[in-house]
Amino acid sequence: MTIDRRRLVDRHRIRRTTTEPRSPLQLGNGELGLSVDVTGMQTFPELHPHLGRDPGDPGSLLGTQSQWGWHTTPRDPRPELRSATHTFDTARGPVPYVDLSTRTFGEGPETGTEDELWLRENPHRLMLGWIGLAASSVGEEQLSAEDLRPLGQELDLWTGIAESVFALRGFHFTVRTAVHPTRDALALSIDTDSPYPPALRFRFPYGSGAWGNAVRWEDEAHTTTVKSRGKAAQISRTLDATHYRVGLLGNQTMSTAQPARHEVILTAQALAEDQPWSITVDFHPGPTQSDHVESVAVPPEQVFEASRGWWERHWSTGGIVDLSESTDPRAAELERRIVLSQYLTAINCSGSTPPQETGLMVNSWRGKFHLEMHWWHAAHFAVWGRPELLERSLAWYTTVLTQAQQTAAAQGVTGARWPKQVGPDGAETPSDIGPFLLWQQPHLIYFAELLRRSKGLKAAEQYAELVFETAEFMATHPVDDGGAASLGAPLIPAQECYGEVKDELADPTFELVYWRWGLDTAIRWRELLDLEPVDHWERTRDALRPLETREGVYPAIRHPVLDRRTDHPSVLGALGFVPSTEMVENAVMEQTLLEVLQDWSWETTWGWDYPMIAMCAARVGRPELAVDALLMPAAKNTYLSNGHNWQNEGLPLYLPGNGGLLMAVGLMAAGWDGTGDAPGFPPGFTVKHEGLTPLPG
């Protein structure tokens, strides 16, 4: 029976009547993100504080961010990455890695040389500006959050439109907000009984190199100018070498004022009685093209119409899961998380570059993206019947392929070694952890294989170069260790708590198995494309060191002493995240799973750990444990009313958790090669699904 998709989505639309400080609503399209308070705008950023990692440098969860909006703090001379490069002894001889001069391993304040810290902080993602009601909309006195009385706010997921009803100083407002699906533009419709003309206040900050706060309020270091004509206006912004402009187009004549250097007031003139004031705010990278006002924005009614059309198509096609007929009382909450995660990953994780862990809402790690997280953010799109949303970001890898090849060559191997923490320029960030991780290397092979399964052989032809360059690195990076191909030191496994012993670690279980599966897949691709085999790929695959067991379970790493029960239990990724391979025995992995569940330090885990556990549980035939994992009552498995996966005050949202949830549910519902329907759900769950693609076996 066909799922009533509209009914399913509608039962999870977000409704509220109060301010929820940790949980503002978010709208977006993958390229532009907008988070709003109960006014449907960003009138009171202080109602949604964001502490980041430094309570002394607070910001706000209300952000306006884009994929192109980046800033670099000027420095002369500008540091080069080689100033943060250090040499490590390896089995291949001295090898350079981008590192920090001092070791913190994620604990305490970041330290390093001035050059290293500058390279960590630059480039940083910009907060493009706050847009809120101006005080003149209700009188002359400056607005205060104490003037606000929320009456009701609703986000209609089916249309992507938020409606906010509130009172300010006794005057009632209804604000509708939407983001255009294909432009960096938003639209507002403001209806009020206030006798004063409605007005908007735009505030523009300088860029910030802080870990989480994207805002610095400095007057001298940047410029803001505004011009208007009739129903249109244009604001021009310059921050050192960064330029962007904001096109404004309303349904009424507008006037502009600039009461402060980086504050613009836009006021509607001669508004017809009982007619809302509607306006489009359209962001564009680059400098202003002329001295004239350029009406580059689309009319606001077109933004609302485009939003309705795109979201209806989004929900009407692709994957959907209906748990409404389940008798397990947890089904409703799981379904809520599924629907809201589909919404949030579409607006944060489907852009032209890999997403940052906090998406387009606020900064973490200065807005840079982490390529080992890209799988958790976006692999699910291919499984949920929306491969085009994954493909948007894969083209970026081609732009940094030469850099990845140069990194591999500098380390004495061939192929492409992908970085870890980067901005759009692809330059590795100095870190005592990131450059030593390996588990992001096979991700491109996994992405491409999922696309091949959903789109056919054409996808294999399209992504062959990226797959084969990745495989070449994977085949030449291992070193000989007593006749076995070993992933040798220095390395840090996905379970990063081993960072301080990276000089002595080798062969983490998850990475070894993922290496085997990645090389297997690349070898099979050459057969599919009628290409000659590459002998050393097969030799390396066959020589990878077999997994060790200790007391009937798989250890996280090959080490005679160390066995830590904190951070990511990534050993479980060797079956679940990674499809079945000859290296892993299901019975041993089942015992490993049970041991992890018995004594792991859950307060040290992170949001994607729970989907990873669920996928492992499903693969070893323990569906009851799979659902238990997805809904485990742990702090970092919290999903707020807006759907975001809260971790802590420093990471108030964490999209790898949302994307991981969808990947796990896709596996549990559609299964994998050779399974029946819904192999990851226990009795008590009635699972109806459409549009899902089974995962590799």
Side-chain angles (χ1 to χ4, degrees):
M1 186 176 181
T2 302
I3 295 171
D4 186 338
R5 292 179 175 230
R6 177 68 182 265
R7 184 177 180 183
L8 189 159
V9 173
D10 276 351
R11 63 176 170 255
H12 299 292
R13 64 170 60 196
I14 302 172
R15 298 181 176 93
R16 56 181 55 161
T17 57
T18 60
T19 291
E20 297 187 24
R22 295 196 308 181
S23 189
L25 298 186
Q26 192 184 16
L27 302 97
N29 59 18
E31 294 292 312
L32 180 76
L34 176 77
S35 47
V36 299
D37 61 20
V38 293
T39 69
M41 294 172 280
Q42 298 155 328
T43 308
F44 301 108
E46 65 273 18
L47 292 178
H48 298 280
H50 170 39
L51 298 181
R53 279 186 171 173
D54 183 3
D57 189 18
S60 173
L61 293 175
L62 300 190
T64 310
Q65 296 194 326
S66 68
Q67 296 289 3
W68 50 259
W70 294 81
H71 173 253
T72 296
T73 304
R75 188 155 181 253
D76 188 21
R78 180 171 176 152
E80 297 184 10
L81 200 57
R82 65 188 179 200
S83 66
T85 300
H86 304 267
T87 300
F88 288 77
D89 291 329
T90 76
R92 289 193 302 276
V95 170
Y97 284 85
V98 178
D99 194 10
L100 289 174
S101 298
T102 54
R103 306 284 185 259
T104 62
F105 304 106
E107 301 295 332
E110 295 175 338
T111 57
T113 67
E114 288 187 7
D115 283 1
E116 289 167 354
L117 293 180
W118 187 92
L119 289 164
R120 279 180 72 78
E121 295 176 5
N122 291 282
H124 41 260
R125 197 183 299 262
L126 277 176
M127 213 288 284
L128 300 178
W130 279 330
I131 309 164
L133 278 178
S136 56
S137 300
V138 290
E140 295 303 321
E141 296 179 11
Q142 190 67 31
L143 282 177
S144 166
E146 295 179 357
D147 300 325
L148 175 66
R149 183 161 66 93
L151 299 174
Q153 188 175 49
E154 181 171 294
L155 175 58
D156 183 351
L157 302 171
W158 193 261
T159 65
I161 298 173
E163 182 172 280
S164 308
V165 182
F166 57 94
L168 270 177
R169 295 184 188 154
F171 302 116
H172 285 73
F173 288 80
T174 299
V175 175
R176 295 166 61 246
T177 313
V179 169
H180 196 285
T182 60
R183 297 176 65 104
D184 298 328
L186 61 100
L188 299 166
S189 172
I190 303 170
D191 196 7
T192 179
D193 61 7
S194 171
Y196 302 95
L200 292 176
R201 181 189 185 203
F202 294 79
R203 288 178 280 175
F204 298 100
Y206 188 62
S208 171
W211 185 90
N213 181 14
V215 167
R216 285 170 59 191
W217 294 105
E218 297 184 3
D219 280 344
E220 302 298 331
H222 54 131
T223 62
T224 303
T225 60
V226 61
K227 299 173 183 176
S228 63
R229 184 185 64 203
K231 298 180 180 180
Q234 181 171 263
I235 301 170
S236 300
R237 297 273 295 133
T238 297
L239 303 87
D240 306 306
T242 298
H243 306 270
Y244 67 96
R245 57 199 190 277
V246 186
L248 305 164
L249 182 63
N251 63 347
Q252 298 293 327
T253 301
M254 304 180 295
S255 65
T256 58
Q258 195 165 357
R261 187 188 294 265
H262 302 296
E263 180 179 331
V264 173
I265 303 295
L266 191 71
T267 305
Q269 304 292 308
L271 194 64
E273 188 175 356
D274 297 327
Q275 181 181 12
W277 180 34
S278 299
I279 184 169
T280 298
V281 183
D282 207 339
F283 295 91
H284 296 266
T288 301
Q289 302 299 314
S290 72
D291 292 333
H292 302 290
V293 174
E294 301 174 50
S295 181
V296 293
V298 297
E301 59 272 16
Q302 290 187 18
V303 178
F304 287 107
E305 185 60 32
S307 178
R308 281 189 288 266
W310 192 91
W311 282 105
E312 181 175 354
R313 288 190 297 275
H314 177 81
W315 293 116
S316 299
T317 58
I320 202 81
V321 171
D322 185 339
L323 303 177
S324 61
E325 296 179 9
S326 301
T327 58
D328 192 302
R330 301 171 295 173
E333 171 59 14
L334 182 54
E335 187 185 89
R336 182 188 77 90
R337 295 185 184 193
I338 293 168
V339 171
L340 292 181
S341 292
Q342 287 180 274
Y343 172 78
L344 292 172
T345 54
I347 67 178
N348 286 291
C349 304
S350 66
S352 53
T353 62
Q356 69 163 318
E357 293 188 5
T358 44
L360 293 169
M361 192 177 207
V362 297
N363 275 2
S364 56
W365 288 276
R366 303 165 182 90
K368 295 184 180 183
F369 32 93
H370 295 206
L371 295 192
E372 91 280 19
M373 292 292 103
H374 196 187
W375 191 95
W376 293 106
H377 283 284
H380 64 88
F381 287 130
V383 175
W384 286 72
R386 300 182 180 98
E388 70 282 358
L389 298 187
L390 169 61
E391 290 187 283
R392 287 180 183 177
S393 59
L394 295 191
W396 175 84
Y397 286 89
T398 300
T399 70
V400 300
L401 175 59
T402 298
Q403 290 168 267
Q405 292 168 326
Q406 291 170 347
T407 298
Q411 296 182 356
V413 296
T414 50
R417 177 167 186 158
W418 304 106
K420 192 270 192 194
Q421 181 184 342
V422 296
D425 60 358
E428 184 75 86
T429 296
S431 169
D432 51 9
I433 294 177
F436 304 93
L437 296 178
L438 281 175
W439 65 285
Q440 73 270 33
Q441 301 308 322
H443 284 353
L444 268 175
I445 297 176
Y446 208 135
F447 293 150
E449 175 64 6
L450 292 176
L451 291 170
R452 184 196 67 80
R453 292 169 66 89
S454 63
K455 297 183 65 176
L457 195 60
K458 183 178 180 180
E461 296 168 349
Q462 181 178 354
Y463 295 107
E465 181 182 24
L466 292 177
V467 167
F468 295 156
E469 284 300 299
T470 300
E472 178 65 19
F473 169 77
M474 293 173 61
T476 56
H477 174 76
V479 296
D480 181 76
D481 183 5
S486 172
L487 301 180
L491 69 80
I492 297 177
Q495 189 180 348
E496 294 177 5
C497 62
Y498 292 99
E500 83 279 8
V501 290
K502 63 174 176 276
D503 294 326
E504 58 187 83
L505 294 184
D507 297 326
T509 294
F510 166 54
E511 282 83 345
L512 266 178
V513 177
Y514 201 11
W515 225 255
R516 169 63 187 254
W517 181 85
L519 285 172
D520 262 341
T521 303
I523 290 165
R524 188 169 64 253
W525 268 45
R526 294 194 70 85
E527 296 173 357
L528 290 172
L529 295 173
D530 293 325
L531 298 173
E532 291 293 321
V534 181
D535 292 341
H536 65 276
W537 293 8
E538 298 184 14
R539 287 198 300 271
T540 298
R541 177 200 61 186
D542 296 340
L544 287 171
R545 183 178 297 279
L547 299 184
E548 292 186 357
T549 59
R550 295 181 198 157
E551 299 180 0
V553 302
Y554 292 118
I557 57 172
R558 182 168 66 88
H559 193 283
V561 177
L562 295 177
D563 182 20
R564 296 178 177 173
R565 317 297 286 172
T566 61
D567 199 24
H568 306 293
S570 56
V571 63
L572 301 183
L575 180 61
F577 179 109
V578 182
S580 297
T581 66
E582 295 178 3
M583 298 182 79
V584 177
E585 296 182 32
N586 280 28
V588 177
M589 185 57 77
E590 181 180 5
Q591 290 305 308
T592 307
L593 167 67
L594 295 175
E595 184 185 67
V596 165
L597 292 174
Q598 181 177 0
D599 67 352
W600 206 262
S601 175
W602 298 110
E603 64 272 15
T604 67
T605 56
W606 299 92
W608 56 264
D609 294 328
Y610 304 95
M612 179 177 64
I613 295 168
M615 288 187 284
C616 181
R619 292 262 193 183
V620 301
R622 299 297 296 267
E624 74 285 357
L625 296 181
V627 174
D628 287 348
L630 289 184
L631 294 168
M632 186 183 295
K636 292 176 184 173
N637 200 32
T638 298
Y639 283 72
L640 303 174
S641 68
N642 63 3
H644 276 300
N645 178 207
W646 186 89
Q647 303 294 283
N648 52 39
E649 295 298 338
L651 277 174
L653 60 146
Y654 192 65
L655 287 152
N658 297 96
L661 173 86
L662 293 176
M663 199 63 169
V665 171
L667 178 83
M668 293 160 63
W672 53 96
D673 296 338
T675 65
D677 191 53
F681 284 92
F685 280 85
T686 299
V687 183
K688 295 191 293 184
H689 61 88
E690 298 172 352
L692 299 177
T693 300
L695 273 78

